[in-house]
């Protein structure tokens, strides 16, 4: 079968994972290796399988072991750090284009969780909305989640502020794009003023205007990245009750997209 976790990616992840202290007194059973637990997490993310249904042949231990590692690593900020490291590698390889950033969102069905709400596009069924901002080529920079009834524009500034400082070259890390593109859902003069105050040029389509704003030739990359995220079946429908677990899956989905760009770049 196709390997779930590349050796090169594991070399980046391993130093970031907190080391578990070994118990010399009453050690109990030997703990599952971190790489095996991460393999189980990626398998659940990709296939959407339940934690308790993880195949024993994978050597990942029990599903609850993988779930606990996912929870603990999310609390320790492991996923955000891995995402930032991959963005640094991409900038070092001249693969980050900050001439513009693009923001968009997509709603998915949700059966559990606090950050859910009636989806106005799905007959008010309970749903969660994924908000994503990418650079000019569609590489994810930051991702957030809200209820499906949350308006897109409310997450515009939080998304921009969530972009991590990206190093990888001599000089100060870059954090803000030159301009920000968005569809009519982000039309707001107040938010345009806030973006200008941050030194970002707002290019947001206006409501109640004729179709054909011309931004589609640039905005399609963020829609493609959202579709890549939702190729992971655990993100296509939300089953997690805890928000931090679903947010961790979202960040890991962004990590997978960034790693594909890193692996396909001439830098590697």
């Amino acid at each position: 079968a196709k390997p779930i976790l590349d050796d090169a990616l594991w070399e980046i992840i391993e130093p970031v994972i907190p080391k578990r202290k070994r118990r010399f007194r009453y050690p109990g059973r030997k703990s599952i290796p971190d790489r095996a637990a991460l393999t189980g997490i990626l398998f659940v993310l990709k296939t959407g399988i339940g934690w308790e249904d993880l195949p024993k042949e994978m050597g990942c231990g029990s599903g609850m072991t993988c779930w606990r590692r996912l929870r603990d690593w999310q609390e320790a900020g492991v996923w955000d750090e891995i995402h930032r490291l991959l963005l640094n590698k991409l900038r070092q390889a001249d693969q980050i284009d900050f001439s513009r950033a693009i923001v968009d969102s997509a709603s998915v069905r949700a059966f559990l969780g606090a950050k859910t709400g009636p989806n106005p596009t799905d007959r008010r069924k309970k749903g969660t909305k994924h908000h994503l901002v990418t650079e000019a080529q569609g590489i994810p920079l930051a991702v957030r989640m809200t209820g499906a009834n949350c308006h897109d524009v409310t997450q515009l500034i939080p998304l921009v502020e969530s972009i991590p400082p990206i190093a990888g070259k001599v000089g100060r890390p870059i954090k803000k794009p030159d301009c920000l593109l968005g569809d009519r859902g982000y039309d707001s003069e107040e938010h345009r003023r806030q973006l200008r105050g941050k030194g970002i040029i707002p290019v947001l389509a206006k409501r109640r205007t004729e179709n054909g704003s011309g931004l589609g030739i640039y905005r399609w990359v963020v829609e493609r990245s959202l579709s890549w995220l939702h190729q992971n079946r655990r993100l296509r429908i939300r089953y997690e009750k805890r928000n931090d677990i679903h947010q961790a899956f979202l960040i890991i989905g962004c990590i997978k997209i960034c790693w594909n760009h890193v692996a396909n770049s001439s830098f590697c």
Side-chain angles (χ1 to χ4, degrees):
K2 183 180 179 180
I4 299 175
L5 179 59
D6 293 339
D7 293 337
L9 179 57
W10 174 245
E11 291 178 2
I12 299 173
I13 295 176
E14 186 178 15
V16 183
I17 294 178
K19 303 303 179 183
R20 299 168 58 85
K21 293 183 179 180
R22 181 180 176 185
R23 294 188 302 175
F24 292 94
R25 188 177 184 183
Y26 307 117
R29 292 182 299 176
K30 186 177 181 180
S31 61
I32 300 297
D34 289 334
R35 181 167 184 172
L38 180 55
T39 300
I41 292 170
L42 293 176
F43 188 78
V44 170
L45 172 63
K46 179 64 177 177
T47 64
I49 195 173
W51 292 105
E52 66 280 1
D53 297 326
L54 269 174
K56 297 294 184 182
E57 294 80 5
M58 295 183 63
C60 304
S62 68
M64 284 309 301
T65 298
C66 297
W67 183 90
R68 292 189 190 98
R69 300 283 177 92
L70 177 65
R71 176 201 60 191
D72 296 342
W73 294 340
Q74 171 68 6
E75 292 177 357
V78 169
W79 310 120
D80 288 324
E81 179 65 14
I82 295 170
H83 186 205
R84 186 185 64 82
L85 290 175
L86 291 177
L87 290 175
N88 291 347
K89 281 186 171 293
L90 287 168
R91 188 186 177 206
Q92 187 177 359
D94 291 324
Q95 296 294 315
I96 295 291
D97 183 357
F98 252 37
S99 62
R100 60 181 177 270
I102 309 99
V103 62
D104 204 355
S105 68
S107 298
V108 298
R109 288 288 306 277
F111 295 101
L112 298 169
K115 290 187 178 181
T116 60
N119 188 348
T121 64
D122 191 19
R123 295 172 292 175
R124 297 187 61 81
K125 293 181 180 179
K126 186 180 291 188
T128 290
K129 184 177 287 189
H130 299 155
H131 304 265
L132 181 68
V133 59
T134 72
E135 50 83 75
Q137 303 172 91
I139 297 174
L141 300 175
V143 64
R144 295 174 61 88
M145 55 177 288
T146 63
N149 58 336
C150 180
H151 200 285
D152 289 349
V153 75
T154 62
Q155 300 303 308
L156 183 61
I157 301 302
L159 270 176
V160 173
E161 294 176 345
S162 298
I163 298 176
I166 304 174
K169 289 192 174 183
V170 177
R172 299 178 62 182
I174 57 175
K175 183 175 173 60
K176 62 180 182 180
D178 296 336
C179 64
L180 183 68
L181 280 62
D183 60 18
R184 289 174 174 81
Y186 299 94
D187 180 25
S188 168
E189 290 302 325
E190 172 61 23
H191 289 79
R192 287 188 178 92
R193 184 187 63 80
Q194 294 184 44
L195 289 173
R196 293 190 186 100
K198 296 179 180 295
I200 302 173
I201 301 173
V203 185
L204 309 175
K206 290 183 176 292
R207 288 174 291 181
R208 294 181 290 275
T209 58
E210 294 183 3
N211 291 331
S213 62
L215 298 180
I217 58 175
Y218 305 109
R219 285 189 54 257
W220 66 271
V221 294
V222 69
E223 297 173 352
R224 180 190 61 181
S225 296
L226 282 168
S227 69
W228 282 343
L229 276 180
H230 294 155
Q231 285 179 4
N232 300 291
R233 294 186 179 181
R234 200 74 179 191
L235 294 176
R236 196 177 304 169
I237 299 177
R238 178 181 174 180
Y239 295 103
E240 283 71 40
K241 184 176 182 180
R242 292 180 50 148
N243 295 326
D244 57 342
I245 299 296
H246 192 70
Q247 178 68 20
F249 275 140
L250 276 173
I251 301 174
I252 297 173
C254 293
I255 289 172
K256 292 176 63 178
I257 296 174
C258 291
W259 173 247
N260 288 335
H261 281 83
V262 170
N264 294 330
S265 68
S266 58
F267 175 78
C268 292

